[in-house]
């Protein structure tokens, strides 16, 4: 079993991390993760405004400091699609308000502009994975 709480939002290479987990688990093993997609105190007024910083500026300011990787739930789905894990559960723990999404949408940095409102709203989630 692999368990983490508020760790994966600090990982810079999700596909490699999931591949490593899959490799060490035995058949039938579980990976259980709570993932916190919030800003960790790095937002100003809107819980999503930390996604307005351009990627290069974010990297210059915060690389190697343990801050969130700013990956949204869609990135976790994409990373998991490259593995053989079976997703047993993927459930949000907190959602952003619709008005927060609407007010930040015009200012989002390029990597976040194409993310759906639904995926952008996820501020945290549980995921339970199984190795078949």
């Amino acid at each position: 079993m692999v368990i983490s709480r508020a760790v994966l939002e600090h990982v810079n290479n999700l596909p490699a991390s999931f591949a490593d987990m899959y490799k060490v688990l035995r058949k039938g093993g579980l990976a259980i993760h709570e993932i916190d997609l919030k800003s960790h105190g790095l937002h100003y007024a809107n819980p999503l405004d930390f996604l307005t910083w351009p990627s290069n500026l974010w990297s210059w300011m915060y690389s190697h400091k343990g801050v969130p990787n700013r990956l949204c739930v869609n990135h976790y789905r994409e990373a998991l699609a490259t593995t053989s894990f079976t997703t047993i559960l993927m459930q949000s723990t907190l959602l952003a308000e619709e008005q927060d999404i609407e007010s930040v949408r015009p200012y989002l940095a390029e990597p976040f502009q194409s993310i759906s409102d639904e995926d952008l709203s996820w501020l945290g989630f549980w995921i339970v994975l199984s190795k078949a």
Side-chain angles (χ1 to χ4, degrees), residues 83-110:
T83 73
S84 297
F85 273 120
T86 299
T87 302
I88 296 172
L89 173 77
M90 190 169 200
Q91 181 176 327
S92 67
T93 56
L94 182 64
L95 297 172
E97 299 289 330
E98 188 175 324
Q99 69 250 19
D100 289 332
I101 296 168
E102 288 174 8
S103 66
V104 79
R105 171 72 66 194
Y107 307 103
L108 289 172
E110 190 278 322

Side-chain angles (χ1 to χ4, degrees), residues 62-130:
Y62 295 117
S63 64
H64 309 295
K65 294 191 180 182
V67 298
N69 56 26
R70 300 196 309 166
L71 299 178
C72 296
V73 68
N74 61 308
H75 292 99
Y76 290 83
R77 285 191 204 103
E78 292 166 9
L80 285 168
T82 68
T83 73
S84 297
F85 273 120
T86 299
T87 302
I88 296 172
L89 173 77
M90 190 169 200
Q91 181 176 327
S92 67
T93 56
L94 182 64
L95 297 172
E97 299 289 330
E98 188 175 324
Q99 69 250 19
D100 289 332
I101 296 168
E102 288 174 8
S103 66
V104 79
R105 171 72 66 194
Y107 307 103
L108 289 172
E110 190 278 322
F112 309 107
Q113 293 172 1
S114 63
I115 296 173
S116 72
D117 286 357
E118 181 181 348
D119 285 352
L120 200 57
S121 74
W122 284 44
L123 297 177
F125 64 100
W126 279 102
I127 190 160
V128 179
L129 309 168
S130 174

Side-chain angles (χ1 to χ4, degrees), residues 1-104:
M1 182 177 289
V2 176
I3 300 174
S4 76
R5 182 172 180 263
V7 172
L8 290 180
E9 70 270 14
H10 299 280
V11 169
N12 291 323
N13 189 336
L14 284 176
S17 296
F18 285 129
D20 286 345
M21 286 179 227
Y22 192 85
K23 184 178 174 181
V24 301
L25 283 171
R26 292 183 181 166
K27 185 177 179 181
L30 295 175
I32 303 169
H33 306 282
E34 182 182 20
I35 302 163
D36 180 0
L37 301 179
K38 295 186 303 295
S39 75
H40 293 50
L42 298 173
H43 66 284
Y44 178 67
N46 178 318
L48 298 170
D49 63 17
F50 77 113
L51 300 177
T52 64
W53 294 46
S55 296
N56 58 351
L57 182 57
W58 182 264
S59 179
W60 291 332
M61 293 288 293
Y62 295 117
S63 64
H64 309 295
K65 294 191 180 182
V67 298
N69 56 26
R70 300 196 309 166
L71 299 178
C72 296
V73 68
N74 61 308
H75 292 99
Y76 290 83
R77 285 191 204 103
E78 292 166 9
L80 285 168
T82 68
T83 73
S84 297
F85 273 120
T86 299
T87 302
I88 296 172
L89 173 77
M90 190 169 200
Q91 181 176 327
S92 67
T93 56
L94 182 64
L95 297 172
E97 299 289 330
E98 188 175 324
Q99 69 250 19
D100 289 332
I101 296 168
E102 288 174 8
S103 66
V104 79

